Amino acid sequence: MLSIALVVALTQVPDSATVRHADGRVPPTVTAVRVTRPPTVDGRLDDPMWQAAVPARGFTQQIPDDGHAPTDSTTVRLLYDDEAIYLGARMWDDHPDLIARRMSRRDQLLQSDVFWADFDSYHDHRTAFEFGVNAAGVKQDDITADDQMFGDNSWDPVWDVAVTIDSLGWTAEMRIPFSQLRFPQRREQLWGVNFFRLVFRRNEFSMYSYWKQTENGYASRFAHLVGLRDIPAPKRLEVLPYTVARTTSPGSSVSGNPLAARATAFGGAGADLKYGVTSNLTLDATVNPDFGQVEADPAFVNLSAFEFFLEERRPFFVEGASIFSFGGTGQYIGFGGTPRWFYSRRIGRPPTGLGAGGSFGTLPSATTVLAAAKLTGKSPGGWSLGVLDAVTARERGPFTDTLGTVCAGPPGSTCATDAEPTTNYFVGRVRRDVAGGRSGYGLLATATDRAIATAALHKLRSQAYVLGADVFHHWHNNAYTLNGSIGVSSVRGDTLALQVTQLASSRYFDRPDADHLRYDPARTSLTGVSADVAVEKSGGNTNWALGASTTTPGFEVNDLGFQTRVDRISGGWFLGHRWTRPGKVFRFASIAGSGGPSWNYGGDLIQFSAGVNVFGQLRNFWGASLFAFHQNAVLDDRLTRGGPLTKEPESWNVGGNVFSDQRKRINAGLFANYSHAAGGSWSVSVSPNFSLRPSDAVVIRLGPSISNERTQAQFVDKQRDSVATPTYGVRYLFAELRQRQVSLTMRTDVIFSPTLSLQVYAQPFAFAGDFSRFKELRAPRTFAFNVYGQDNGSTIVPDDTTLCAGYAAGGCYGVDPDGPGPAPPFALSNPDFHLRSLNSTTVLRWEYRPGSTLYVVWSQSRSAFASYDPSYGGAGELRRAAFRDRPTNVLLVKLNYWLSL
């Protein structure tokens, strides 16, 4: 019944249209004129019907001289017929030879003069469909939501545009089919509209319906577009079938692995579909999707207890993602433990692993997405709806059963076991905007259901559900905002799955000194709550914010969301001031301070920090930012990874960024950071970046990065010992860690035309970790340690002949924690290592007809890993990664064809 009611609400038409902005101003009006014969889209604006169009003039600068008239004027005209809306824009320029017309890939309008047209066709004052073009004819299109300026540029509608540069400046002519927009089906339309222009050489940004830099809002401040009437229902079905061929040539394999991959070939097909269920509801679906053209993730080493967050890059899941956004505490306050309620990379994640007993195995890099569908829509009455459902396949991995415990056969037999079950993922989001988009409330529901059929998968939760509600309210000309949200989670599964859940790094229910936590190995379900609230002043030159957030120990969203820790109560504040009018020295400047405390549910203070950040851009367009943050000495409930509390020493973190004039063909920047803790830990990193544009069609970017770090207490292992009574019968082992890293990110774009481009990405990466001065925690709630071989009569012997039997040379230390005392000696594995890798992707993209694309992709990966070896070759490791390690090559050809039915 709820879904039926939502569909009905989405098709309803409001009784009357809002005629004023949120601040009470009467918006300007733009009139579209119907024509019987459309203009030819050639960028010349010489068709006679343009003379009948009503011109929109009177742009106003926002940057740099807020509120002033622009240096050169702009005129825009709009026409329409039954099929499309047509836009003609004349950008006058006294020096047309200086117009920046640099080529780029679609949606990357860098270092160019640009014109944009935005349509709020829902007329909800919160959503805008943006169409842009630069003076070289390169397109940009995106959808903005929540009355924000920056949106989702993964949206690629099918539309036409042409530009011309002449003695008066430049012109742009657009044809935007009504089928690519969403609007209520009624006789007379009322839309929001706005136009924007960037003159790149002056960094001059102007707009038709103007608001100040210090004022908030976007679609809510648009002009009104009138004159659209009797538009027939547009075509509502688009199909994008594709076919793909892929070959893989593997490089070096794990030594001795009988299942090492051989060269393989693969062919497949699938399709994407877009269907307008109603004029306000759109269904997007994909069957057997392939994302082989997506750039590889950056290389990294994660020695923490927490998962590393990776950005979503797959087009189906990126497009329209903003409609599923939930909660948040505004633009100024961020709490490190706040959960992300929907994290689409869970769908099609890498399989979790092989069953017990196998020492060698192979797994695909991602779980197969069989099909996925999204139903999204928004009505002029303020309702928005987003529903996503996806099904991933059961994955099985072959492995060699060296113990003879899984396969039906003697030890050494090869068989397959489940590595990931068939899984259904569901996300539903509904929101109601009221008062012209100034207030609203909504619900979010997610569900993960896994078909756990074998014992090998009992460690996975079978069901995970989340339900949340959020509200927002803007007032005083959108200068003030109140945000709030609350949600509850529930997970279920086998006792093994709930043991894994309770012992996960986000909660550590087994902490021996945590009276507020209880580990129950017989548990089969877990529930929790998370909530946050914030109020902020984001309008004007002086801004501030106050907020609070909490997540109970049982809250869990990692099945379809992302969280690093729970068991947290946090407060936060922000105070800042900005100067937006150019002065004698700076074009723009700001200063801000922020901070706040956090406690766990046991009342332990686990964070208390404060910092300051200053930013300034000089009149010559160079700029810099500086920051400094201070962390008070607090308690750490994660350092021992399930053990007792420790003390976290006081620490400082300072750094900054400087950048040159981004308008130049050669520009550069430098980021540097230094941190130091009272316990002796320190780190320093330097990351310069360079951009070179040798021609209007080629851009080369280089981003080297070097870091050096010493950590005084890097967790290594746990050793149970009843003698270790101060630490609850467990020795918590640490080491001093010296870690060094070097990488180089390289990107080259060669643009042959607005529809044909070649992009090359490569990242050589090297890392070394050198562990020394092994030690154990001396007592809870301290940062004191007993160093082996130095304190308490202890000894540590490399390759101890008795304790290290079975270890490779250099792979073990024999440790006696108290010498002649009662504690038993034990073997400690040597955690030293170094690694290097090179990942590269080359993509040729050709849009051979509107909406239809050919991809030719070559990706290569090289890597080498050495245990027990902390040697570090610096930049030489990058050279070795590129030329010494054997590569794995993948060649992919993907062709799709756009059909509008």
Side-chain angles (χ1 to χ4, degrees), residues 344 405 427 765 790:
S344 59
T405 58
V427 185
F765 172 88
Q790 177 179 312

Tab-separated table of all heavy atoms in Angstrom, residues 344 405 427 765 790:
chain	number	residue	atom	x	y	z
A	344	SER	N	27.266	1.560	-2.134
A	344	SER	CA	26.906	0.675	-3.243
A	344	SER	C	27.999	-0.321	-3.609
A	344	SER	O	27.727	-1.320	-4.281
A	344	SER	CB	26.528	1.509	-4.474
A	344	SER	OG	27.595	2.350	-4.869
A	405	THR	N	40.185	-32.368	4.457
A	405	THR	CA	39.039	-32.184	5.338
A	405	THR	C	37.786	-31.705	4.620
A	405	THR	O	36.703	-31.707	5.214
A	405	THR	CB	39.384	-31.157	6.432
A	405	THR	OG1	39.772	-29.923	5.803
A	405	THR	CG2	40.521	-31.664	7.305
A	427	VAL	N	17.407	-1.191	-1.490
A	427	VAL	CA	17.459	0.130	-0.865
A	427	VAL	C	16.208	0.882	-1.278
A	427	VAL	O	15.872	0.946	-2.467
A	427	VAL	CB	18.701	0.938	-1.294
A	427	VAL	CG1	18.765	2.249	-0.531
A	427	VAL	CG2	19.969	0.144	-1.106
A	765	PHE	N	53.693	1.942	-7.350
A	765	PHE	CA	53.515	2.103	-5.904
A	765	PHE	C	54.486	1.176	-5.198
A	765	PHE	O	54.689	0.026	-5.626
A	765	PHE	CB	52.070	1.757	-5.539
A	765	PHE	CG	51.781	1.703	-4.060
A	765	PHE	CD1	51.409	2.837	-3.369
A	765	PHE	CD2	51.880	0.504	-3.361
A	765	PHE	CE1	51.121	2.783	-2.011
A	765	PHE	CE2	51.602	0.443	-2.007
A	765	PHE	CZ	51.228	1.581	-1.331
A	790	GLN	N	65.039	-6.162	26.754
A	790	GLN	CA	65.484	-4.975	27.484
A	790	GLN	C	64.862	-4.903	28.877
A	790	GLN	O	65.544	-4.591	29.853
A	790	GLN	CB	65.139	-3.714	26.684
A	790	GLN	CG	65.482	-2.406	27.381
A	790	GLN	CD	65.134	-1.216	26.497
A	790	GLN	OE1	65.483	-1.177	25.321
A	790	GLN	NE2	64.440	-0.241	27.070
